[in-house]
Amino acid sequence: MRSFLRHITEMSMPVVLLLLVCSLAMWTVDYIRMPEQWIQLLATQTLVQVCAVMLCAVLYRAKATARFTLLPAVLYVSAMAVLPLLRIHWQPQLVVAVLLFFLYATRDMSDTHEPNGLVFFVTILLCLTSLLMPDALWCVPMIWIVVLLQGAFTFRTIMASLLAIALICIYYVLAMYIGQAEMWDYSALIDRHWFAQHLPVCLTTSIGIMLLAFLLITGCAFRRSSYDLVSTRMLLYHIVLWGLLSAPLIVFSVAEPYNWVMLPFTLSAVTGIYLLQRQSESRGVTFLLYLTGVVTLYLWNILAL
């Protein structure tokens, strides 16, 4: 039994693919309940798969694992299926894709020193995404924090990011002038309320458990972070900071809380780093508890809603 727990996270590719297929099957209920929205569900499911593979690529590039593995993809897809809102809306996955692209590209940031072009491009993408999901603008300061931790934060870097925001502001003003800006409601950035105020008990409990799991696994990952490579440790710092900064936005959410996506994203990323740090019985138990908890919360939300 101890040997099984020690090596459970080193599953063969067919077993990981089987778990991934089972995780994707968690969308079946939505296809049955909302057959008229199959295009939106399929788009969401496709983007979730893309982001899951991108997460695996980011962990591999940061040398969190010696070989490419789809284990983080299983963690991401299964966690994303817990909250019903994230299974039927594809917009939040665009934010995750942009952030993962940025994390993947920051591997070369120490060589370029001033990643002005990268910061400008990512800020433009986040601003464009904010037209669909206003809370995406809160991710721009998260980009600055990563650049700061990498030691590449300069005046020209911040100006490149502000220039990107200014371009989108000009576009928004022009849209207001011609009367086409009503569809973009940026007042949602400050019009927030306590997340449990209008939610069922099952959703409130699910978010609370996932937040608690994020904090516990973060603490466990930090205990051994001193043995990690610098690139893996920096990635862990970035993900944890993003999770902590996103927590207030999740707890005080908007009417359509697409920013909930940061919770399963950061939880699956931190769990992936923790499980790949080394082989141990505790990590095997953590992996089994993770899957058990995800399935339990998923079934609870399905039966209760």
Side-chain angles (χ1 to χ4, degrees), residues 1-47:
M1 185 63 180
R2 296 183 63 182
S3 177
F4 169 76
L5 292 176
R6 179 181 290 271
H7 298 284
I8 190 174
T9 55
E10 285 201 343
M11 295 174 290
S12 61
M13 187 62 71
V15 176
V16 176
L17 288 175
L18 178 61
L19 286 175
L20 188 58
V21 170
C22 293
S23 300
L24 292 172
M26 300 168 88
W27 268 262
T28 305
V29 175
D30 299 302
Y31 281 104
I32 297 175
R33 288 182 173 180
M34 299 172 289
E36 70 283 354
Q37 299 186 27
W38 68 271
I39 296 180
Q40 185 169 336
L41 290 169
L42 182 61
T44 305
Q45 204 171 16
T46 302
L47 285 173

Side-chain angles (χ1 to χ4, degrees), residues 205-219:
T205 306
S206 298
I207 294 174
I209 291 176
M210 294 176 77
L211 283 171
L212 180 60
F214 170 77
L215 294 176
L216 291 176
I217 296 177
T218 295

Side-chain angles (χ1 to χ4, degrees), residues 255-274:
E256 293 183 344
Y258 294 154
N259 56 339
W260 283 357
V261 73
M262 294 300 294
L263 179 55
F265 165 51
T266 53
L267 173 60
S268 57
V270 169
T271 306
I273 294 175
Y274 172 67

Side-chain angles (χ1 to χ4, degrees), residues 79-92:
M80 203 61 64
V82 170
L83 303 177
L85 178 77
L86 301 180
R87 294 200 307 269
I88 60 177
H89 291 287
W90 52 270
Q91 295 90 337

